[in-house]
Amino acid sequence: MIVDAHTHIYEHPLPKDKRPASAADLLREMDAAGVAMALVLPLPGRASNEFVYHECAKHPDRLAALYVPEFDEPSETFVKLRNFLEDHDCRGIKIHPRLQRVTVEDAVVHEITAWASERRLPLLFDCFPSGSDLDNPRFGPLAYHRLAQEIPTAQIVLAHAGGYKVLEAFMTAKANPNIILESSFTLGYFPGTSVERDLAFAFGHLYPGRTMYGSDFPEMPVADHLQRTRRVLESMSPDRAAAFYGQTAAQLYRLKV
Ligand SMILES: [Zn+2]
């Protein structure tokens, strides 16, 4: 049973988006790759919470939605989040600090994390240092150490496993049992590099339940990314692999697979 814990569908694709990314496109690629279920993440500018939720609700046995807080009107962020999550069965919250111009040190992020932890809602953070904030340590994996320590009941997922800083993500996860690493995008971005070995080491050493598979469709094709990941992680033990490719995401996000 394979769960892809990180995908997108686009309501408003940008001109640079080359690949088709409707719910039907995602489902077709999942079928071809043998992926049972996928988590779908809204993306500011590309896909709203409403759109993603309603597209997923048409395929409840295959797709489940996360919620992305709206930070444009800071005074309304929390009210909107609470109202939406009271009426909609989203399986977690995703924050994209680089794109949304917030950091893990902002009070509002702390507040959302505490609120989510009380409701057993996992919190996923984009963690792929790049672009104009490359030198800002608040966007790297180590920045989540303090948050995980301060709110030990929070379930914190680091998306992309820290990118090229995968070993920092590994040490952060080692130090905090409430941090889970998710593998999307990174292996497709750094093919043939030392990142492959570092990620294989990290994911081969963390206990089952501490790592999850994801692709980041449509940025990465579902089948290609799965095949690449299987190749890089071929020496992973069977119990770790079963948890990594499906069980951990199913449990964390309450999926019926
Ligand atoms: Zn993504």
Side-chain angles (χ1 to χ4, degrees):
M1 180 264 297
I2 299 169
V3 175
D4 188 333
H6 189 135
T7 69
H8 302 276
I9 53 175
Y10 294 157
E11 182 180 13
H12 310 289
L14 303 181
K16 66 171 186 158
D17 293 327
K18 295 281 186 298
R19 293 166 49 77
S22 66
D25 297 320
L26 171 58
L27 287 165
R28 197 177 326 108
E29 292 205 15
M30 287 165 62
D31 288 341
V35 174
M37 283 201 79
L39 274 300
V40 187
L41 288 40
L43 197 60
R46 249 69 157 254
S48 67
N49 285 306
E50 287 283 349
F51 173 77
V52 168
Y53 184 82
H54 288 109
E55 289 299 298
C56 289
K58 292 177 194 165
H59 311 278
D61 55 332
R62 307 294 306 282
L63 305 177
L66 298 192
Y67 174 84
V68 172
E70 297 172 27
F71 294 108
D72 348 352
E73 287 294 336
S75 60
E76 291 172 20
T77 300
F78 223 83
V79 179
K80 283 183 184 168
L81 173 143
R82 255 195 322 249
N83 287 346
F84 196 91
L85 292 179
E86 268 164 24
D87 297 347
H88 301 80
D89 179 25
C90 293
R91 304 305 170 85
I93 297 173
K94 151 91 188 273
I95 295 178
H96 199 310
R98 279 182 298 127
L99 206 60
Q100 298 188 280
R101 311 310 306 161
V102 293
T103 84
V104 66
E105 291 178 8
D106 292 350
V108 63
V109 172
H110 209 277
E111 209 181 335
I112 290 171
T113 307
W115 186 89
S117 79
E118 281 167 22
R119 284 153 189 83
R120 306 302 297 153
L121 278 176
L123 211 76
L124 175 87
F125 289 95
D126 171 272
C127 190
F128 188 88
S130 71
S132 58
D133 293 304
L134 184 61
D135 60 346
N136 187 337
R138 292 178 191 85
F139 295 93
L142 296 180
Y144 296 91
H145 176 68
R146 192 55 49 205
L147 184 70
Q149 296 271 315
E150 285 173 2
I151 311 179
T153 52
Q155 298 169 293
I156 297 168
V157 180
L158 299 186
H160 318 307
Y164 77 97
K165 296 192 172 186
V166 57
L167 290 183
E168 287 189 8
F170 170 65
M171 293 310 289
T172 309
K174 288 278 282 184
N176 299 285
N178 53 336
I179 287 188
I180 293 169
L181 303 189
E182 175 257 89
S183 69
S184 64
F185 190 69
T186 293
L187 289 176
Y189 192 87
F190 295 104
T193 71
S194 56
V195 171
E196 289 186 346
R197 280 185 55 215
D198 289 351
L199 196 141
F201 173 87
F203 281 54
H205 281 75
L206 289 168
Y207 288 124
R210 308 296 308 287
T211 63
M212 278 190 306
Y213 173 73
S215 66
D216 211 5
F217 171 89
E219 288 287 329
M220 297 293 161
V222 174
D224 275 20
H225 199 74
L226 183 60
Q227 211 173 14
R228 179 189 301 282
T229 304
R230 284 196 187 287
R231 197 169 61 237
V232 173
L233 300 184
E234 63 186 354
S235 59
M236 192 181 238
S237 66
D239 57 334
R240 279 185 171 82
F244 167 71
Y245 286 108
Q247 288 165 5
T248 303
Q251 202 173 11
L252 188 71
Y253 294 120
R254 299 179 286 111
L255 306 178
K256 292 191 188 74
V257 276

PDB file of all heavy atoms in Angstrom, residues 6 8 41 94 160 216, ligand 1:
ATOM      1  N   HIS A   6       2.557  14.017  -0.375  1.00  0.00           N
ATOM      2  CA  HIS A   6       2.786  15.415  -0.766  1.00  0.00           C
ATOM      3  C   HIS A   6       2.499  15.602  -2.255  1.00  0.00           C
ATOM      4  O   HIS A   6       3.344  15.290  -3.108  1.00  0.00           O
ATOM      5  CB  HIS A   6       4.237  15.802  -0.442  1.00  0.00           C
ATOM      6  CG  HIS A   6       4.534  17.268  -0.605  1.00  0.00           C
ATOM      7  ND1 HIS A   6       5.242  17.982   0.324  1.00  0.00           N
ATOM      8  CD2 HIS A   6       4.220  18.154  -1.592  1.00  0.00           C
ATOM      9  CE1 HIS A   6       5.351  19.243  -0.063  1.00  0.00           C
ATOM     10  NE2 HIS A   6       4.748  19.366  -1.241  1.00  0.00           N
ATOM     11  N   HIS A   8       0.143  18.280  -5.236  1.00  0.00           N
ATOM     12  CA  HIS A   8      -0.646  19.496  -5.479  1.00  0.00           C
ATOM     13  C   HIS A   8      -1.538  19.276  -6.690  1.00  0.00           C
ATOM     14  O   HIS A   8      -1.187  18.510  -7.594  1.00  0.00           O
ATOM     15  CB  HIS A   8       0.264  20.697  -5.774  1.00  0.00           C
ATOM     16  CG  HIS A   8       1.242  20.978  -4.684  1.00  0.00           C
ATOM     17  ND1 HIS A   8       0.927  21.723  -3.574  1.00  0.00           N
ATOM     18  CD2 HIS A   8       2.544  20.612  -4.526  1.00  0.00           C
ATOM     19  CE1 HIS A   8       1.989  21.806  -2.784  1.00  0.00           C
ATOM     20  NE2 HIS A   8       2.982  21.131  -3.329  1.00  0.00           N
ATOM     21  N   LEU A  41      -2.061  19.268  -1.113  1.00  0.00           N
ATOM     22  CA  LEU A  41      -1.745  20.478  -0.362  1.00  0.00           C
ATOM     23  C   LEU A  41      -2.131  21.713  -1.172  1.00  0.00           C
ATOM     24  O   LEU A  41      -1.646  21.880  -2.299  1.00  0.00           O
ATOM     25  CB  LEU A  41      -0.229  20.545  -0.089  1.00  0.00           C
ATOM     26  CG  LEU A  41       0.410  19.597   0.924  1.00  0.00           C
ATOM     27  CD1 LEU A  41      -0.097  18.195   0.906  1.00  0.00           C
ATOM     28  CD2 LEU A  41       1.919  19.635   0.782  1.00  0.00           C
ATOM     29  N   LYS A  94      -0.668  22.887   6.440  1.00  0.00           N
ATOM     30  CA  LYS A  94       0.615  23.058   5.746  1.00  0.00           C
ATOM     31  C   LYS A  94       0.990  24.532   5.766  1.00  0.00           C
ATOM     32  O   LYS A  94       0.160  25.385   5.456  1.00  0.00           O
ATOM     33  CB  LYS A  94       0.465  22.566   4.300  1.00  0.00           C
ATOM     34  CG  LYS A  94       1.380  23.245   3.261  1.00  0.00           C
ATOM     35  CD  LYS A  94       2.684  22.529   3.083  1.00  0.00           C
ATOM     36  CE  LYS A  94       3.695  23.266   2.227  1.00  0.00           C
ATOM     37  NZ  LYS A  94       3.615  23.040   0.808  1.00  0.00           N
ATOM     38  N   HIS A 160      10.227  17.755   2.169  1.00  0.00           N
ATOM     39  CA  HIS A 160      11.458  17.702   1.357  1.00  0.00           C
ATOM     40  C   HIS A 160      12.678  17.297   2.200  1.00  0.00           C
ATOM     41  O   HIS A 160      13.806  17.381   1.719  1.00  0.00           O
ATOM     42  CB  HIS A 160      11.732  19.040   0.656  1.00  0.00           C
ATOM     43  CG  HIS A 160      10.507  19.686   0.081  1.00  0.00           C
ATOM     44  ND1 HIS A 160       9.657  19.019  -0.778  1.00  0.00           N
ATOM     45  CD2 HIS A 160       9.959  20.926   0.250  1.00  0.00           C
ATOM     46  CE1 HIS A 160       8.656  19.824  -1.116  1.00  0.00           C
ATOM     47  NE2 HIS A 160       8.816  20.976  -0.499  1.00  0.00           N
ATOM     48  N   ASP A 216       5.622  15.405  -4.552  1.00  0.00           N
ATOM     49  CA  ASP A 216       5.467  16.823  -4.922  1.00  0.00           C
ATOM     50  C   ASP A 216       4.943  16.956  -6.345  1.00  0.00           C
ATOM     51  O   ASP A 216       5.235  17.943  -7.023  1.00  0.00           O
ATOM     52  CB  ASP A 216       6.761  17.634  -4.743  1.00  0.00           C
ATOM     53  CG  ASP A 216       6.461  19.097  -4.388  1.00  0.00           C
ATOM     54  OD1 ASP A 216       5.275  19.439  -4.196  1.00  0.00           O
ATOM     55  OD2 ASP A 216       7.404  19.889  -4.309  1.00  0.00           O
TER      56      ASP A 216
HETATM   57 ZN    ZN B   1       4.950  20.949  -2.594  1.00  0.00          ZN
END
